Each structure stands twice: as C-alpha cells, then as structure tokens.
Amino acid sequence: MEHGYSRWSFESRIDPSDLQVGHFVIRLDVPWSETRFPLQGVLIDNLEKRQWMIDNCAWVVISHVRSPNKFIPEKRLPPINDGARRRSDILPSFKPLSQGEINRETLSVSIGVYDTLDQHVHRLAEQFRQQGALDLDSASRVVGELAEVLESHMAALVWLTRIKRRDDYTAQHCVNVSILSIGLAHALDWDRRKVEQAGLAGLLHDLGKMQVSQEVLNKPGQLTEQEFEHIKLHAEFGFRMLREEGGLPDEVSEAVLCHHERPDGKGYPKGLDRRQIPPLARVVSIVDAYDAITSHRVYDPARSHHEALGILWKERDRQFDGPFVEAFTQFLGWVTPGTLVQLTSGDLAVVLQAREGRGLLPLVRLIEFDGKDYRLGAEMDLARLRPEVGDAPIRVAEVLPDGSQGVDIRSLSLDFGLPGCA
C-alpha cells in the first residue's frame, strides 16, 4: 500500500499535470458549479480540458473504471481525510443510469412493479388504521421483487417516479424514495442484502407520518415552530412502530429514525454528527429530499431535476453527505430518463436514454400537442443528428419540472401501447 491506496482502489487523487487524455475526472478541489463541466464528471478527451484542469485545480480524482485510459500515475496524492469520513465513504465505481433505456418491454414490467409497490403502501396505511398492525413480511417480499428487476429496468422505473400526483403525494413519495434508494445503493455497488435494505428503508421512511396530525401535515402555509416540532416526531414514531412490529433488520429501522440527521449536526431527532449517521440513512436522506423537491407539495411547487441536483450539491457536507451526493448526481446524470426537456428547436421532449458522456445530447421522444392532449412523437438521438450547413445543433436547452406546460407523463405511457399507470 502507498499513500493510503491499495491495488484494489477504484479511484486516485492526482496532480492535474499527471492527467492524460482518456482519464475520467470524478472530483475536483473546486466546485463543479464554477466549471463548464457537467456534475457527473468529465472525460479528458482533448488537451484543452487537460490544460483547464492544470490551470484551475490543485488536485483531481480520476475513476479507474470509467477511464478509457487505464494508466494510473505512480505519483498519487493521499485521499482527502477530514477526520470525519469513514472507510465506507470511499466510493467505488459508479453504475450510472445512462446504461438503461425506456422502451415498451422495460416500461411494461416496471409499471407492474411500481403499481404493486403503490398498492402495498396504501394497504400498509389502511391496515394500520384499522388494526394497528403492519404486514412487514409482505413489504420485504415486494422490495425483493423490485431488486430483482432493478438493473435492467431502472431507467423505466425512474420514468415512473417522475409521474407526480398532487392528490396522493405521501404514498407516491414513499414508492419513489424506495425505487431511487435501491438505485443509488446499486450504483454504489452495495451487495444485494444492503440494496434491499435501502429499498425497505425508502418505502417505510415516512411511516411515522401516520401518527402525526394530518391537518398540520397538509397545511398549505408556513408551519409554526410548534407545528414543525410536531412534524419532526414522525422519525421517532416510525422507528417505534417498526421496532414494536419486529422482524426487520436494525439497519432499516435506524435509517427510518435517522433520515433527517445532518452531517453538520443540525438534524433531528438526535443531532448526530456525520460520523454517527448510518450509511443507509444518508442514502434515504438524499433521495427523500430529491423526490420532495421535484414534486408538487401543498406549500411548495415542483422544481426541475437540475434545480434539485443544485440544491443537493450546495448543501453537501452540511445537510447531506457529500460523497453520497456526488454518487447520486453521477448515477442520475445531468438529464435523467423520464425528464421533461425543451430543446433548442423549441420542441418539448422526454428523455428516453441519457447516454454517459453525451451531456445535453440524449436520446429523446418528441412531445406533440394534437389540440387536446400531448402525445409522444418521433424518436430523436440528439448525439447523432447532423444539422444542415449553418444550422446550430439541436440540444437540450432547459430541463423542466415534472408536469410543466400541462404535460402528463402518465398519459404518455399509452403511446407505448401500454395501460396508463394507476
């Protein structure tokens, strides 16, 4: 071992002067927002990019797996050690969502899985209201089924998390957090047991809200300090409900308890610092915030995928775990499947596949308005378009919030020849 690295490391922190064309940079010592590069990292594919790194960065981190050039400089800098990160925070290679695609087959399977999860969340709530009990064995089985289809259907499942129903936010939010937590855990290369635990924790993270005042929970205006303190009890309520029921791994119930803890120690219910927050809780915390930010809530309108990533990035190492925010950003990518976008041509489109390294040039389906409804139109691979002489290439101009301009992502599933989502 040299400088804290073993031959099994997945990444290296190096001097920018040691970069070569073909290295993939995943972290810098300057904020990504202050660069011209996408948050998910950048391939050094020309000398101009290499020179920019030399001129502007004191160090960079390259991914061994994502770099086409497998040369690893002998002179490597030691990993950043702020005294607060544990060994489990050193992230392995990422499995980006860009590997997946939305098509009739993947969407058909995913709709079945999504609807099963959705029905189960409603059944859990109804069962608790009527009997004061929870069928957690069934929850575990459903999440296990989700994990089974995850790798080959993640893009389609993420498409479904972009369907936002204002009248069913709480249940839908739990389903979405379960799907995205499994996706992030899978992207982090966690083993199957931990991936399923992430899905369960995501599905059950807001269970305690069944025991708080629904009037306060659904209040459209700003909460009073007393009302906010009441809402904050949901983490402890959920933890106690799971512990009383029994049968779940401790990691799951602890994630439910700690999903509002913060690395800066200002979270609740215990005010833990970053070293004390379980990794599973850190995953759920990030995904919970992302889905909430991109959803219509009674007190806050939906914001775009880009805005949500920007908020997470700004709050890394304060409200959210920094390395896991980086992993989540790289997993979803700058434009993620199911994202509603406006092209430089003025057309609306939905992203089908956000190919790694293609930036704002994904595979999309145009969205056409027939005078009454929106429908999916032609498929367009922006990376392969060849504009006429003198014309600017067509690319993504803006990533829009889900449901913008009246586009209902749920109804678009009909254009794949499939039944609409429940």
Short mmCIF file of all heavy atoms in Angstrom, two decimals, residues 11 27 79-92 190 194 251 254 258 261-263 272-283 317 321-324:
data_model
loop_
_atom_site.label_atom_id
_atom_site.label_comp_id
_atom_site.label_asym_id
_atom_site.label_seq_id
_atom_site.Cartn_x
_atom_site.Cartn_y
_atom_site.Cartn_z
N GLU A 11 -10.30 4.56 -7.42
CA GLU A 11 -10.06 5.92 -7.85
C GLU A 11 -8.71 6.40 -7.31
O GLU A 11 -8.17 5.82 -6.37
CB GLU A 11 -11.19 6.84 -7.37
CG GLU A 11 -11.38 6.82 -5.86
CD GLU A 11 -12.61 7.58 -5.42
OE1 GLU A 11 -13.68 7.37 -6.00
OE2 GLU A 11 -12.50 8.39 -4.47
N ARG A 27 -13.92 14.04 -9.39
CA ARG A 27 -13.95 15.06 -8.34
C ARG A 27 -12.82 16.05 -8.57
O ARG A 27 -11.77 15.72 -9.11
CB ARG A 27 -13.82 14.43 -6.95
CG ARG A 27 -15.10 13.76 -6.50
CD ARG A 27 -15.16 13.59 -5.00
NE ARG A 27 -14.32 12.49 -4.53
CZ ARG A 27 -14.64 11.21 -4.65
NH1 ARG A 27 -15.75 10.85 -5.24
NH2 ARG A 27 -13.84 10.28 -4.18
N PRO A 79 -5.64 10.24 -0.13
CA PRO A 79 -7.06 10.61 -0.12
C PRO A 79 -7.31 11.75 0.85
O PRO A 79 -6.57 11.93 1.82
CB PRO A 79 -7.76 9.33 0.36
CG PRO A 79 -6.75 8.24 0.23
CD PRO A 79 -5.41 8.87 0.32
N ILE A 80 -8.37 12.53 0.57
CA ILE A 80 -8.74 13.60 1.48
C ILE A 80 -9.20 12.96 2.78
O ILE A 80 -10.08 12.11 2.78
CB ILE A 80 -9.86 14.46 0.91
CG1 ILE A 80 -9.42 15.06 -0.41
CG2 ILE A 80 -10.30 15.53 1.87
CD1 ILE A 80 -10.54 15.72 -1.16
N ASN A 81 -8.64 13.38 3.89
CA ASN A 81 -9.04 12.84 5.19
C ASN A 81 -9.36 14.01 6.10
O ASN A 81 -8.48 14.65 6.65
CB ASN A 81 -7.92 11.99 5.78
CG ASN A 81 -8.33 11.35 7.11
OD1 ASN A 81 -9.48 11.45 7.49
ND2 ASN A 81 -7.39 10.73 7.78
N ASP A 82 -10.65 14.32 6.20
CA ASP A 82 -11.05 15.43 7.05
C ASP A 82 -11.33 14.98 8.47
O ASP A 82 -11.85 15.73 9.29
CB ASP A 82 -12.29 16.14 6.48
CG ASP A 82 -13.47 15.20 6.32
OD1 ASP A 82 -13.39 14.05 6.80
OD2 ASP A 82 -14.48 15.64 5.72
N GLY A 83 -10.95 13.70 8.76
CA GLY A 83 -11.16 13.21 10.10
C GLY A 83 -12.60 12.80 10.37
O GLY A 83 -12.93 12.35 11.45
N ALA A 84 -13.45 12.98 9.37
CA ALA A 84 -14.86 12.71 9.60
C ALA A 84 -15.40 11.59 8.73
O ALA A 84 -16.43 11.02 9.03
CB ALA A 84 -15.67 13.98 9.36
N ARG A 85 -14.74 11.30 7.63
CA ARG A 85 -15.25 10.28 6.72
C ARG A 85 -14.75 8.90 7.13
O ARG A 85 -13.57 8.72 7.42
CB ARG A 85 -14.82 10.57 5.28
CG ARG A 85 -15.49 11.81 4.73
CD ARG A 85 -15.05 12.04 3.31
NE ARG A 85 -15.67 13.25 2.78
CZ ARG A 85 -15.42 13.75 1.59
NH1 ARG A 85 -14.58 13.15 0.80
NH2 ARG A 85 -16.01 14.85 1.18
N ARG A 86 -15.65 7.96 7.10
CA ARG A 86 -15.29 6.59 7.44
C ARG A 86 -14.85 5.85 6.18
O ARG A 86 -15.09 6.31 5.07
CB ARG A 86 -16.48 5.89 8.08
CG ARG A 86 -16.91 6.55 9.38
CD ARG A 86 -18.09 5.84 9.99
NE ARG A 86 -19.30 6.07 9.24
CZ ARG A 86 -20.49 5.69 9.67
NH1 ARG A 86 -20.63 5.09 10.81
NH2 ARG A 86 -21.56 5.91 8.92
N ARG A 87 -14.28 4.70 6.37
CA ARG A 87 -13.80 3.93 5.22
C ARG A 87 -14.92 3.62 4.24
O ARG A 87 -14.72 3.61 3.02
CB ARG A 87 -13.16 2.63 5.72
CG ARG A 87 -12.55 1.80 4.59
CD ARG A 87 -11.78 0.63 5.14
NE ARG A 87 -11.18 -0.14 4.08
CZ ARG A 87 -10.03 0.14 3.50
NH1 ARG A 87 -9.37 1.21 3.86
NH2 ARG A 87 -9.54 -0.61 2.54
N SER A 88 -16.15 3.43 4.78
CA SER A 88 -17.28 3.11 3.92
C SER A 88 -17.66 4.26 3.01
O SER A 88 -18.43 4.10 2.07
CB SER A 88 -18.50 2.71 4.76
OG SER A 88 -18.90 3.78 5.59
N ASP A 89 -17.14 5.48 3.29
CA ASP A 89 -17.47 6.64 2.47
C ASP A 89 -16.60 6.73 1.23
O ASP A 89 -16.86 7.56 0.36
CB ASP A 89 -17.29 7.93 3.27
CG ASP A 89 -18.33 8.07 4.36
OD1 ASP A 89 -19.40 7.47 4.21
OD2 ASP A 89 -18.07 8.76 5.34
N ILE A 90 -15.53 5.95 1.14
CA ILE A 90 -14.69 5.98 -0.06
C ILE A 90 -15.45 5.21 -1.14
O ILE A 90 -15.62 4.00 -1.06
CB ILE A 90 -13.31 5.35 0.21
CG1 ILE A 90 -12.61 6.15 1.30
CG2 ILE A 90 -12.47 5.33 -1.05
CD1 ILE A 90 -11.30 5.54 1.75
N LEU A 91 -15.93 5.92 -2.12
CA LEU A 91 -16.91 5.36 -3.04
C LEU A 91 -16.27 4.49 -4.11
O LEU A 91 -15.23 4.85 -4.66
CB LEU A 91 -17.69 6.49 -3.71
CG LEU A 91 -18.42 7.42 -2.72
CD1 LEU A 91 -19.07 8.55 -3.50
CD2 LEU A 91 -19.46 6.66 -1.93
N PRO A 92 -16.88 3.37 -4.44
CA PRO A 92 -16.38 2.54 -5.52
C PRO A 92 -16.82 3.10 -6.86
O PRO A 92 -17.36 4.19 -6.96
CB PRO A 92 -17.06 1.19 -5.25
CG PRO A 92 -18.35 1.57 -4.61
CD PRO A 92 -18.06 2.80 -3.80
N TRP A 190 -23.34 -1.69 -3.61
CA TRP A 190 -23.62 -2.39 -2.38
C TRP A 190 -24.10 -3.81 -2.70
O TRP A 190 -24.61 -4.06 -3.79
CB TRP A 190 -24.71 -1.66 -1.58
CG TRP A 190 -24.21 -0.41 -0.92
CD1 TRP A 190 -22.97 0.14 -0.99
CD2 TRP A 190 -24.96 0.47 -0.08
NE1 TRP A 190 -22.89 1.29 -0.26
CE2 TRP A 190 -24.11 1.52 0.32
CE3 TRP A 190 -26.29 0.47 0.38
CZ2 TRP A 190 -24.54 2.56 1.15
CZ3 TRP A 190 -26.71 1.50 1.22
CH2 TRP A 190 -25.84 2.53 1.60
N LYS A 194 -27.87 -5.26 1.24
CA LYS A 194 -27.92 -3.83 1.55
C LYS A 194 -28.79 -3.07 0.54
O LYS A 194 -29.44 -2.09 0.89
CB LYS A 194 -26.51 -3.25 1.59
CG LYS A 194 -25.68 -3.73 2.77
CD LYS A 194 -24.29 -3.12 2.76
CE LYS A 194 -24.33 -1.63 3.03
NZ LYS A 194 -22.97 -1.05 3.09
N GLU A 251 -30.73 -2.13 10.72
CA GLU A 251 -30.28 -1.07 9.82
C GLU A 251 -31.46 -0.31 9.20
O GLU A 251 -31.38 0.90 8.98
CB GLU A 251 -29.41 -1.64 8.70
CG GLU A 251 -28.06 -2.19 9.15
CD GLU A 251 -28.11 -3.66 9.50
OE1 GLU A 251 -29.22 -4.17 9.78
OE2 GLU A 251 -27.04 -4.31 9.49
N GLU A 254 -33.15 1.91 11.93
CA GLU A 254 -32.25 3.02 12.26
C GLU A 254 -32.24 4.06 11.14
O GLU A 254 -32.15 5.26 11.42
CB GLU A 254 -30.84 2.49 12.50
CG GLU A 254 -30.71 1.74 13.82
CD GLU A 254 -29.36 1.05 13.96
OE1 GLU A 254 -28.55 1.13 13.00
OE2 GLU A 254 -29.13 0.42 15.00
N CYS A 258 -33.13 7.98 11.49
CA CYS A 258 -32.05 8.96 11.28
C CYS A 258 -32.08 9.65 9.92
O CYS A 258 -31.13 10.36 9.59
CB CYS A 258 -30.70 8.26 11.44
SG CYS A 258 -30.42 7.56 13.07
N GLU A 261 -31.23 13.31 10.01
CA GLU A 261 -29.98 13.76 10.63
C GLU A 261 -29.10 14.41 9.56
O GLU A 261 -29.23 14.11 8.36
CB GLU A 261 -29.25 12.59 11.28
CG GLU A 261 -30.01 11.90 12.40
CD GLU A 261 -30.09 12.73 13.69
OE1 GLU A 261 -29.51 13.84 13.72
OE2 GLU A 261 -30.73 12.26 14.65
N ARG A 262 -28.19 15.29 9.99
CA ARG A 262 -27.37 16.06 9.04
C ARG A 262 -25.89 15.96 9.41
O ARG A 262 -25.55 15.90 10.60
CB ARG A 262 -27.78 17.54 9.06
CG ARG A 262 -29.18 17.82 8.64
CD ARG A 262 -29.60 19.25 8.94
NE ARG A 262 -28.60 20.24 8.55
CZ ARG A 262 -28.87 21.36 7.88
NH1 ARG A 262 -30.13 21.61 7.51
NH2 ARG A 262 -27.91 22.21 7.58
N PRO A 263 -25.01 15.96 8.42
CA PRO A 263 -23.57 15.91 8.73
C PRO A 263 -23.09 17.06 9.61
O PRO A 263 -22.12 16.91 10.36
CB PRO A 263 -22.92 15.99 7.34
CG PRO A 263 -23.95 15.44 6.42
CD PRO A 263 -25.27 15.87 6.98
N LEU A 272 -27.16 14.01 15.47
CA LEU A 272 -25.93 13.23 15.26
C LEU A 272 -24.97 13.99 14.35
O LEU A 272 -25.39 14.80 13.52
CB LEU A 272 -26.27 11.88 14.62
CG LEU A 272 -27.26 10.97 15.37
CD1 LEU A 272 -27.49 9.70 14.57
CD2 LEU A 272 -26.75 10.65 16.76
N ASP A 273 -23.65 13.72 14.49
CA ASP A 273 -22.70 14.28 13.53
C ASP A 273 -22.45 13.27 12.43
O ASP A 273 -22.95 12.14 12.46
CB ASP A 273 -21.40 14.73 14.20
CG ASP A 273 -20.59 13.57 14.78
OD1 ASP A 273 -20.64 12.45 14.22
OD2 ASP A 273 -19.89 13.77 15.79
N ARG A 274 -21.68 13.66 11.43
CA ARG A 274 -21.53 12.83 10.23
C ARG A 274 -20.98 11.45 10.51
O ARG A 274 -21.30 10.49 9.81
CB ARG A 274 -20.66 13.56 9.20
CG ARG A 274 -19.19 13.65 9.54
CD ARG A 274 -18.44 14.41 8.48
NE ARG A 274 -18.86 15.81 8.44
CZ ARG A 274 -18.87 16.54 7.35
NH1 ARG A 274 -18.51 16.02 6.20
NH2 ARG A 274 -19.24 17.80 7.39
N ARG A 275 -20.16 11.31 11.55
CA ARG A 275 -19.58 10.01 11.84
C ARG A 275 -20.59 9.05 12.46
O ARG A 275 -20.38 7.84 12.46
CB ARG A 275 -18.38 10.18 12.79
CG ARG A 275 -17.18 10.82 12.14
CD ARG A 275 -16.13 11.23 13.15
NE ARG A 275 -16.61 12.30 14.02
CZ ARG A 275 -15.86 12.92 14.92
NH1 ARG A 275 -14.60 12.58 15.07
NH2 ARG A 275 -16.36 13.88 15.67
N GLN A 276 -21.67 9.59 12.98
CA GLN A 276 -22.65 8.76 13.68
C GLN A 276 -23.86 8.38 12.82
O GLN A 276 -24.64 7.52 13.20
CB GLN A 276 -23.15 9.53 14.92
CG GLN A 276 -22.06 9.85 15.93
CD GLN A 276 -22.56 10.79 17.02
OE1 GLN A 276 -23.12 11.84 16.74
NE2 GLN A 276 -22.37 10.39 18.27
N ILE A 277 -24.01 9.03 11.67
CA ILE A 277 -25.19 8.77 10.83
C ILE A 277 -24.96 7.50 10.01
O ILE A 277 -24.00 7.41 9.25
CB ILE A 277 -25.47 9.96 9.90
CG1 ILE A 277 -25.65 11.25 10.70
CG2 ILE A 277 -26.71 9.69 9.05
CD1 ILE A 277 -25.75 12.50 9.84
N PRO A 278 -25.85 6.51 10.11
CA PRO A 278 -25.67 5.26 9.35
C PRO A 278 -25.69 5.52 7.84
O PRO A 278 -26.44 6.40 7.37
CB PRO A 278 -26.87 4.41 9.77
CG PRO A 278 -27.35 5.01 11.06
CD PRO A 278 -27.04 6.48 10.97
N PRO A 279 -24.89 4.78 7.07
CA PRO A 279 -24.87 4.98 5.61
C PRO A 279 -26.25 4.86 4.97
O PRO A 279 -26.58 5.60 4.05
CB PRO A 279 -23.94 3.87 5.12
CG PRO A 279 -23.03 3.60 6.29
CD PRO A 279 -23.89 3.80 7.50
N LEU A 280 -27.08 3.93 5.45
CA LEU A 280 -28.41 3.75 4.87
C LEU A 280 -29.26 5.00 5.07
O LEU A 280 -30.03 5.39 4.18
CB LEU A 280 -29.08 2.53 5.51
CG LEU A 280 -30.23 1.88 4.75
CD1 LEU A 280 -29.80 1.47 3.36
CD2 LEU A 280 -30.74 0.67 5.53
N ALA A 281 -29.14 5.63 6.22
CA ALA A 281 -29.89 6.86 6.49
C ALA A 281 -29.42 7.99 5.58
O ALA A 281 -30.21 8.84 5.15
CB ALA A 281 -29.75 7.27 7.95
N ARG A 282 -28.13 8.02 5.27
CA ARG A 282 -27.61 9.07 4.38
C ARG A 282 -28.18 8.92 2.97
O ARG A 282 -28.47 9.92 2.30
CB ARG A 282 -26.08 8.99 4.33
CG ARG A 282 -25.40 9.11 5.68
CD ARG A 282 -23.90 9.12 5.50
NE ARG A 282 -23.24 8.31 6.50
CZ ARG A 282 -21.93 8.09 6.52
NH1 ARG A 282 -21.17 8.60 5.59
NH2 ARG A 282 -21.41 7.35 7.46
N VAL A 283 -28.30 7.68 2.52
CA VAL A 283 -28.89 7.44 1.20
C VAL A 283 -30.34 7.92 1.17
O VAL A 283 -30.76 8.66 0.27
CB VAL A 283 -28.80 5.94 0.85
CG1 VAL A 283 -29.74 5.60 -0.30
CG2 VAL A 283 -27.37 5.57 0.47
N ASP A 317 -22.26 18.01 2.60
CA ASP A 317 -21.43 18.11 3.81
C ASP A 317 -22.02 19.04 4.86
O ASP A 317 -21.43 19.22 5.92
CB ASP A 317 -20.00 18.54 3.48
CG ASP A 317 -19.23 17.46 2.74
OD1 ASP A 317 -19.46 16.27 3.04
OD2 ASP A 317 -18.43 17.79 1.85
N ASP A 321 -24.78 14.09 3.05
CA ASP A 321 -23.44 13.51 2.96
C ASP A 321 -22.82 13.82 1.60
O ASP A 321 -23.39 13.48 0.56
CB ASP A 321 -23.53 12.00 3.16
CG ASP A 321 -22.18 11.33 3.14
OD1 ASP A 321 -21.71 11.00 2.03
OD2 ASP A 321 -21.59 11.16 4.20
N GLY A 322 -21.64 14.47 1.60
CA GLY A 322 -21.02 14.92 0.37
C GLY A 322 -20.73 13.83 -0.64
O GLY A 322 -21.14 13.92 -1.81
N PRO A 323 -19.99 12.78 -0.26
CA PRO A 323 -19.69 11.71 -1.23
C PRO A 323 -20.93 11.04 -1.79
O PRO A 323 -20.97 10.67 -2.96
CB PRO A 323 -18.85 10.73 -0.40
CG PRO A 323 -18.22 11.56 0.65
CD PRO A 323 -19.25 12.59 1.00
N PHE A 324 -21.98 10.88 -0.96
CA PHE A 324 -23.19 10.24 -1.47
C PHE A 324 -23.96 11.16 -2.40
O PHE A 324 -24.64 10.70 -3.33
CB PHE A 324 -24.08 9.79 -0.31
CG PHE A 324 -23.62 8.52 0.38
CD1 PHE A 324 -22.32 8.05 0.22
CD2 PHE A 324 -24.48 7.79 1.18
CE1 PHE A 324 -21.89 6.90 0.84
CE2 PHE A 324 -24.07 6.62 1.81
CZ PHE A 324 -22.77 6.18 1.63
#
